[in-house]
Amino acid sequence: MTSGVKVFASYLIGLREGLEATLVVSVLVAFLVKSDRRDRLPLVWAGVIAAAVLSIGFGALLTFTAAHLGHRQQELFDAVTSLLATVFVTWMIFWMRRAARSLSGELRTKLNDALQLGAVAVVVMAFLAVAREGLETALLFFASVQGATTDATPLIGISLGILTAIVIGAGIYRSALKINLTTFFTWTGLLLILVAAGIFKYGVHDLQEANILPGLSTQAFDISGILPADSWWGALISGMFNITPQPTVPDAIAWVLYAAPTLIFFLRPQSKRPASAVTTPV
């Protein structure tokens, strides 16, 4: 699998997760500014920085661990991280779809409670609010780039995604940019479901490689004529969604079993609520 085709998937992960974290930080900062509690801003930033350091360390730990395992152990480790990443990204997609409208109010309430408890509580609250997004990003990124070449292309992709998210978040915070967050999270959610389907398929394939599941030599179909690996569209689709031209039977079943019901539930109409246009998260 060529390294370049991983850029968009990595960029999408960085953009989606980065914007969620940026919106969280924006809400916390705006609350303190509007409450005339600017003196507490360094505490929030301390928590945010600690969460970022933890996330980077977690990603480094995953990479280090995978690099120092034997072949069978590495395949099993990759399988476990892929399956965990699938669980977390699925939960995150549906949670954000449900909680986006109330996220700002919940964060302001938690921060107000933390202010009453003291400085440490503020740091911990900001840390926990951002750490979840950071740890999810590290796990999802690690799982999504398995099988890619060892160059820095996927890392560049996720870095650009995070930088884009920061720019968008700053624009929203300063009311210089309006974006329909509901539409944004819907479309990125759809794309991430397809990415997650590929990651889930990766986990199943790694279990076959580790001789835990059968079927490694049983080919489901061959669409290499339609999806040639040496074409740009074949490389793009394979790289983003891990759709291989010659999957095994368990690979194909895993992809469909995850993608079909998840897409159905995600696209199912939500209970009608007052439509929320795009506003700032504060």
Side-chain angles (χ1 to χ4, degrees):
M1 186 180 302
T2 59
S3 60
V5 299
K6 285 292 183 182
V7 173
F8 184 76
S10 300
Y11 178 85
L12 176 64
I13 292 169
L15 177 62
R16 166 81 186 218
E17 296 285 339
L19 186 57
E20 288 184 18
T22 302
L23 292 176
V24 167
V25 175
S26 297
V27 170
L28 300 180
V29 171
F31 177 77
L32 292 178
V33 171
K34 292 185 176 182
S35 302
D36 198 23
R37 301 296 301 272
R38 292 175 181 269
D39 59 310
R40 294 305 191 196
L41 284 174
L43 300 176
V44 169
W45 288 116
V48 171
I49 292 172
V53 171
L54 174 66
S55 303
I56 294 172
F58 180 59
L61 178 63
L62 290 175
T63 304
F64 177 83
T65 302
H68 289 79
L69 294 174
H71 175 72
R72 187 173 186 277
Q73 291 77 18
Q74 181 177 354
E75 297 294 346
L76 184 57
F77 180 77
D78 289 346
V80 171
T81 54
S82 293
L83 297 177
L84 283 176
T86 304
V87 171
F88 282 126
V89 72
T90 305
W91 175 84
M92 176 267 294
I93 289 170
F94 282 94
W95 176 84
M96 179 56 73
R97 183 171 182 257
R98 183 183 69 254
R101 291 181 176 89
S102 60
L103 180 62
S104 179
E106 291 177 2
L107 286 171
R108 289 197 298 266
T109 299
K110 290 180 180 178
L111 182 56
N112 186 60
D113 292 341
L115 287 169
Q116 306 303 317
L117 294 174
V120 175
V122 175
V123 174
V124 171
M125 186 268 162
F127 170 81
L128 293 177
V130 177
R132 183 191 64 197
E133 306 295 343
L135 294 176
E136 284 178 359
T137 302
L139 181 60
L140 182 57
F141 175 69
F142 175 81
S144 70
V145 299
Q146 292 178 32
T149 54
T150 56
D151 65 21
T153 306
L155 184 60
I156 293 173
I158 196 170
S159 299
L160 290 174
I162 292 173
L163 288 174
T164 303
I166 292 173
V167 171
I168 293 174
I172 293 175
Y173 174 79
R174 296 179 180 277
S175 299
L177 177 66
K178 291 187 180 295
I179 178 173
N180 191 314
L181 295 177
T182 299
T183 300
F184 172 85
F185 285 123
T186 297
W187 281 104
T188 56
L190 285 171
L191 291 174
L192 277 182
I193 286 173
L194 297 179
V195 172
I199 292 174
F200 182 67
K201 188 214 75 171
Y202 243 137
V204 170
H205 191 81
D206 285 332
L207 290 176
Q208 296 173 72
E209 293 279 1
N211 295 320
I212 293 177
L213 289 180
L216 185 60
S217 59
T218 308
Q219 184 176 304
F221 49 80
D222 185 352
I223 57 171
S224 54
I226 303 174
L227 197 69
D230 57 352
S231 66
W232 69 266
W233 67 87
L236 178 64
I237 294 174
S238 297
M240 281 185 58
F241 307 126
N242 296 322
I243 299 176
T244 50
Q246 299 172 321
T248 66
V249 171
D251 289 349
I253 292 175
W255 201 96
V256 174
L257 282 181
Y258 174 84
T262 306
L263 285 170
I264 290 172
F265 278 109
F266 185 78
L267 294 172
R268 184 178 58 180
Q270 300 187 76
S271 57
K272 291 185 178 180
R273 300 178 184 177
S276 70
V278 186
T279 62
T280 69
V282 295

